[in-house]
Amino acid sequence: MSAVTLPELPREKEFEEYVAAVLQTCGYFVERNITEREAEEVLELDVIATRYHSQRNESPELFLVEAKSGDWGFPDIFKIKGWMVYLNIPNGKLVVQRPKDNIDFHKAIAKRLGIQLLVIEDFEKNNELLKEVRCAELDTFDISIWRFSFWLERKLKERLKQQKKSMGVRRFIEMEKYYFEINDRLFFIENIISRLDRLYALFHEYANISAKAANEMIGGDYDGGVDEIPGIVYDRTYYKCEYNEIQTAAFIEHKSRLAVLKCAVDYILYRRAEDESRTEDINILGNISLTSTFPSSLRRALGILENHEYLYKYPEFWQWFLWVFGGFILTDRAEQEYELLSRKTGLPANEVENALSIYDELFPTEGGWFRNLGPNSNILLLKNFSVPFMGIGAFYRRGIYSTEQNLEDLGLGGAYTIKDLAKWNDMAYKILKG
């Protein structure tokens, strides 16, 4: 992937991704490109950033962020204020590339509306942005990795959109619908109890979407009752690293699980803070509340999650683990891997295994979610993950552990460890290059 380059001066979507990457690197949980299609005019939010605090009874802090690489003006400021009121988000930021002659006046008006107006002219010096997002310094390599990861997600989404249009096949229709539900529609449910209830229901409604898509790929019925990816498709997807629709389906499935995990953490934190604006319970059947109708599996998992001391770090941790670390741990460097995850997410290294274990609690599966590829490949990885993002993880390790960015320099055991990493890296490279 070293031959794939990021633009030095990002524009439009790439500028939005750059701003999101800065926030991600500075300790925020980031949600991007959220669209409300029901509005007469399509409402699209560039970035919603969440900052979690260490205090046990403090609510997450939400920020609405709009990025403009081209022309901008007062209408953009007032539009952001309208979104903030509509979404009950008190903090807004407008990040622009082009300053105006009367920039101080624009900043003053924005400030009166509760919006920070930030100008990025020099991408090597982001002092103003760093100050406003409460970040001591930027790790430029981390920013580039997040931009690659966002770029890869954009490529998968664009491909799915084209497949749905050109083929009209059930699996593409269902995958696009599932993505829209978890990334877009449910964001606009302000009440966290209702949102969690619906997210968890969708997780079960779309269970085994990868297996169903794979069954349809080989001529079977999408609703054929399969719960595992057929062997022939599994081999093509995970051993031969074929760029097929299972890579996109797996991405969407794990994105859905991350959405459930974040919402579960938010529910606990808002409830502890007694924030009734987002946790007021809803009576749906007389005196029967929505929380009492949560499935027993969800209530059990929430009880376990509640007892994890660092649960407020889990959303950020899992976002890094999935989309930068590629959902895997190099077992030869397990201690270093845990320390690296700790530095990037603020989760103590000795709490990493607790954070990983919550996946099995929230989403029980036979044999657990993690598979050790040893002894021939010294990698512990998340089952049925999206190989392109595993490629992001391989590329990240090259940059972190090798001064020459060569996989062979990582000093890893196992006959196939380097070969596996190289296959994953090559897939991400080919998708971004194509």
Side-chain angles (χ1 to χ4, degrees):
M1 201 159 22
S2 57
V4 180
T5 58
L6 294 161
E8 292 184 7
L9 188 63
R11 297 291 190 187
E12 298 179 350
K13 281 293 181 186
E14 290 168 341
F15 181 60
E16 294 173 16
E17 291 169 356
Y18 173 83
V19 172
V22 171
L23 292 166
Q24 198 85 64
T25 303
C26 290
Y28 290 78
F29 183 96
V30 170
E31 298 167 271
R32 302 180 305 111
N33 301 328
I34 302 165
T35 304
E36 185 173 61
R37 296 180 187 170
E38 283 80 0
E40 185 175 337
E41 295 182 8
V42 174
L43 168 64
E44 183 174 344
L45 309 173
D46 289 346
V47 176
I48 298 295
T50 305
R51 179 177 283 279
Y52 291 91
H53 301 278
S54 59
Q55 288 79 1
R56 180 176 175 84
N57 297 323
E58 190 165 354
S59 296
E61 190 176 8
L62 295 178
F63 297 83
L64 190 155
V65 184
E66 179 79 356
K68 289 286 185 182
S69 61
D71 194 24
W72 61 275
F74 285 118
D76 297 290
I77 296 173
F78 294 128
K79 180 176 68 174
I80 292 171
K81 180 60 178 180
W83 290 347
M84 290 163 59
V85 173
Y86 174 56
L87 297 170
N88 189 24
I89 296 177
N91 309 294
K93 299 183 188 297
L94 173 59
V95 186
V96 302
Q97 275 189 19
R98 299 180 183 178
K100 291 183 178 289
D101 292 337
N102 55 347
I103 188 67
D104 289 337
F105 180 61
H106 282 77
K107 286 186 176 183
I109 296 297
K111 185 176 181 180
R112 285 177 59 186
L113 298 174
I115 299 168
Q116 279 96 31
L117 172 56
L118 310 171
V119 181
I120 299 179
E121 291 184 90
D122 187 344
F123 285 83
E124 297 299 321
K125 297 177 181 178
N126 281 305
N127 296 334
E128 185 179 23
L129 179 59
L130 291 178
K131 179 182 177 182
E132 291 297 340
V133 300
R134 291 174 253 168
C135 187
E137 61 181 353
L138 288 179
D139 187 316
T140 55
F141 181 62
D142 283 353
I143 291 174
S144 68
I145 292 295
W146 274 111
R147 290 175 67 191
F148 277 124
S149 185
F150 294 153
W151 182 9
L152 184 61
E153 179 179 350
R154 175 158 43 94
K155 297 283 278 189
L156 293 183
K157 288 167 56 182
E158 289 171 353
R159 186 169 187 254
L160 175 59
K161 184 177 181 180
Q162 290 303 315
Q163 288 171 322
K164 180 191 171 188
K165 284 183 178 179
S166 62
M167 303 180 74
V169 178
R170 176 77 180 277
R171 59 185 178 275
F172 301 124
I173 295 171
E174 295 297 331
M175 287 159 60
E176 195 275 339
K177 182 180 177 183
Y178 192 18
Y179 182 91
F180 173 70
E181 288 286 342
I182 60 174
N183 188 77
D184 301 291
R185 188 192 298 275
L186 294 188
F187 175 82
F188 294 97
I189 298 178
E190 181 180 351
N191 185 281
I192 205 70
I193 298 172
S194 300
R195 190 188 301 180
L196 177 57
D197 181 65
R198 182 59 182 147
L199 272 172
Y200 198 69
L202 279 169
F203 163 69
H204 286 284
E205 181 181 337
Y206 285 91
N208 306 317
I209 193 171
S210 291
K212 292 178 178 181
N215 195 51
E216 189 180 45
M217 286 169 61
I218 58 174
D221 185 359
Y222 178 85
D223 288 323
V226 294
D227 56 9
E228 292 185 0
I229 299 173
I232 186 172
V233 178
Y234 188 92
D235 289 348
R236 283 160 45 189
T237 304
Y238 290 103
Y239 293 114
K240 297 181 180 178
C241 293
E242 177 183 278
Y243 182 28
N244 57 36
E245 44 266 49
I246 304 306
Q247 308 295 2
T248 307
F251 156 69
I252 295 171
E253 284 190 297
H254 286 284
K255 186 177 180 69
S256 172
R257 294 184 181 101
L258 177 58
V260 172
L261 188 154
K262 178 186 185 296
C263 200
V265 169
D266 288 352
Y267 164 70
I268 292 171
L269 295 178
Y270 280 124
R271 196 191 65 213
R272 286 177 178 174
E274 298 181 349
D275 187 338
E276 294 183 359
S277 68
R278 296 184 187 272
T279 60
E280 184 178 1
D281 211 344
I282 301 171
N283 288 332
I284 58 174
L285 291 173
N287 293 322
I288 301 177
S289 67
L290 187 60
T291 50
S292 68
T293 65
F294 278 164
S296 59
S297 56
L298 177 57
R299 294 200 303 271
R300 182 194 63 82
L302 287 171
I304 293 171
L305 180 61
E306 175 109 44
N307 290 320
H308 282 228
E309 182 179 358
Y310 292 92
L311 67 94
Y312 61 92
K313 285 293 183 183
Y314 288 3
E316 182 188 354
F317 170 89
W318 272 93
Q319 208 161 42
W320 275 86
F321 181 66
L322 292 175
W323 314 129
V324 167
F325 281 73
F328 68 86
I329 297 290
L330 299 175
T331 55
D332 287 331
R333 290 177 173 264
E335 186 174 342
Q336 286 176 279
E337 295 272 82
Y338 285 13
E339 288 292 339
L340 182 60
L341 277 162
S342 177
R343 290 202 307 273
K344 300 307 176 185
T345 68
L347 180 76
N350 61 1
E351 290 289 330
V352 167
E353 291 186 358
N354 278 336
L356 295 176
S357 73
I358 206 63
Y359 225 62
D360 285 325
E361 302 296 346
L362 276 170
F363 320 111
T365 187
E366 185 176 354
W369 270 107
F370 286 89
R371 177 186 176 196
N372 196 321
L373 300 183
N376 292 320
S377 189
N378 295 351
I379 298 173
L380 178 72
L381 84 167
L382 197 59
K383 291 179 181 177
N384 297 345
F385 193 49
S386 180
V387 176
F389 289 96
M390 292 156 67
I392 294 287
F395 180 64
Y396 189 53
R397 297 334 194 279
R398 283 172 49 189
I400 291 292
Y401 296 136
S402 170
T403 55
E404 301 298 324
Q405 292 202 0
N406 292 321
L407 290 172
E408 292 76 9
D409 295 339
L410 301 187
L412 304 175
Y416 298 110
T417 306
I418 297 300
K419 291 181 180 178
D420 285 339
L421 294 175
K423 284 193 304 183
W424 304 342
N425 181 90
D426 289 347
M427 170 173 266
Y429 166 77
K430 290 175 183 176
I431 294 173
L432 293 177
K433 187 179 181 182

